[in-house]
Amino acid sequence: MSVEVPSGALPRCALHPDALAGATCQRCGGFVCTECTTWVMGRMYCPPCAVRPEVNYLETFRLKLWGRRDASAWLVVGVTELLLFLALGALMAGRFGVALACLASAGVGLAFFLGTRWARVGLLAVPLLAMLLAAPSMGAPALVFFVPLMVAVNIFRDTRSRLFFRLEVPERELRRLWDLRANNPLARHALSLGVGSLLLLVLTPLLSVLGVGFVLSLIFIAMAMLALVLGAVALQRVDPEARPPIGRRWEALGAMGLALASLTFGFMLHGQRLVELFGGAMD
C-alpha cells in the first residue's frame, strides 16, 4: 500500500519555492532545484555557496595572480637593463650591428615586462637567432646561447608566467600551481629546513678546520629545531576535508623525522665536539 505525500510536504528549492528540490548543497545543506544546481570541482553547491572564495578556491587563486608580474618578468627586465648597457658600450666602440641587436633584444624584454603577448614568442626567438647568427663566426662557443634559450622555454611554459599574460590555463595545471604555492606551504618550508640541517650535520666537521664549526653548530641546531616546530604546526593544520583542502601530511612528517634524525645523529657523532665548542664559547 503506497502512501501519497502531499505536494506541500516535498522539499522545495531555497531560491525557487515553486520548484521541487532535486539535491542539497554540499556546503550549507540547503535544497536546490535542477536550475540552481551548480558544480564546482566535482562537488554540488547552491549558487550563493558556489561563488564563495573558499569553495571555488582555484578561481580565487587564479584571479589573485591574473595579470600580476612574476619572478620571470623581473628576471627579464634585469637582463634588459644589462642589454641596454651592452648596447651603449657597443655604440661607444663603434660596433653598430651589435648595438642594434642588443637594443632589439632589450625591446623584446621591455615588451615582455609590460605583458605584451607577442613578447613571449620573442623571448624564445632572441637567443635562438643569436645562436644561429653567431655560429658562423664563433663556431662551437655560440652554443652558449643555448642556456638562455632553455631558460626562455621554461618561462614560456610556466603556468605562473601565463597567468601574468592573462592566458587561460587548464585546471590541472592551475591546481598543481596552487598545491605548490598555497597548499600548506609551512610543511614545505619545514622539509627544506630538515634537509638543510642534515647537510649542515655533514659539513660541520669538514669546515671546522676553518674555525666556523661553532657557528655551523648553532645554525644546524637552530634549523633542526625550527624544522621540528614548523613540521608539527603544519601537521596540525592538515585537513583534507576542509575547503580549500589542506594537505602535505607526509611532508610535515618527513620534516619532523629529518629534524629528529639530524639532532639525534648530530649529538651521537659530534656530541663531544659540540660540548667542547659550546664550553669554549661560554668561557
Side-chain angles (χ1 to χ4, degrees):
M1 176 179 175
S2 61
V3 178
E4 192 171 325
V5 180
S7 60
L10 295 175
R12 301 280 176 169
C13 175
L15 298 180
H16 303 98
D18 294 335
L20 292 176
T24 57
C25 174
Q26 290 188 264
R27 180 184 176 275
C28 68
F31 291 112
V32 292
C33 62
T34 304
E35 182 182 351
C36 289
T37 300
T38 307
W39 290 89
V40 178
M41 289 181 284
R43 293 191 179 188
M44 184 187 302
Y45 298 96
C46 62
C49 288
V51 297
R52 292 183 65 89
E54 68 271 19
V55 170
N56 199 353
Y57 60 91
L58 287 184
E59 178 63 13
T60 303
F61 179 71
R62 185 185 70 85
L63 293 176
K64 182 180 178 181
L65 302 179
W66 191 254
R68 296 186 61 181
R69 291 184 179 88
D70 62 332
S72 63
W74 291 102
L75 173 64
V76 169
V77 79
V79 176
T80 299
E81 293 177 355
L82 177 61
L83 288 170
L84 290 174
F85 281 112
L86 291 176
L88 180 61
L91 281 174
M92 295 176 64
R95 304 179 64 180
F96 299 107
V98 174
L100 183 60
C102 290
L103 287 174
S105 301
V108 173
L110 181 60
F112 186 94
F113 183 75
L114 295 176
T116 308
R117 292 186 179 181
W118 64 262
R120 298 180 70 240
V121 179
L123 196 68
L124 295 173
V126 167
L128 181 60
L129 289 174
M131 184 168 56
L132 294 176
L133 293 175
S137 59
M138 294 179 60
L143 291 175
V144 70
F145 292 107
F146 185 76
V147 175
L149 177 60
M150 289 298 97
V151 174
V153 169
N154 287 331
I155 292 175
F156 184 84
R157 298 177 56 191
D158 183 55
T159 303
R160 176 65 183 88
S161 180
R162 280 183 282 168
L163 290 175
F164 162 53
F165 282 92
R166 295 182 172 86
L167 297 173
E168 296 295 336
V169 297
E171 181 179 319
R172 176 172 51 85
E173 296 183 18
L174 188 62
R175 186 184 296 275
R176 188 182 301 119
L177 182 64
W178 173 85
D179 187 63
L180 177 65
R181 298 201 171 195
N183 184 12
N184 203 359
L186 202 61
R188 190 176 70 253
H189 299 327
L191 186 61
S192 299
L193 286 170
V195 173
S197 66
L198 277 178
L199 291 176
L200 278 182
L201 176 62
V202 176
L203 293 175
T204 297
L206 299 176
L207 297 179
S208 59
V209 295
L210 301 178
V212 294
F214 176 70
V215 176
L216 288 179
S217 299
L218 286 178
I219 297 175
F220 143 69
I221 294 175
M223 288 180 66
M225 293 299 295
L226 188 58
L228 187 62
V229 172
L230 293 182
V233 174
L235 183 63
Q236 188 178 20
R237 291 181 178 179
V238 172
D239 185 2
E241 300 303 321
R243 206 68 177 172
I246 305 174
R248 299 188 182 274
R249 182 190 304 274
W250 291 109
E251 290 188 23
L253 289 172
M256 296 173 65
L258 287 173
L260 289 173
S262 181
L263 290 171
T264 301
F265 286 114
F267 283 104
M268 286 176 59
L269 298 175
H270 312 297
Q272 185 63 35
R273 178 59 178 164
L274 289 174
V275 171
E276 293 175 0
L277 288 171
F278 282 107
M282 294 295 294
D283 294 339

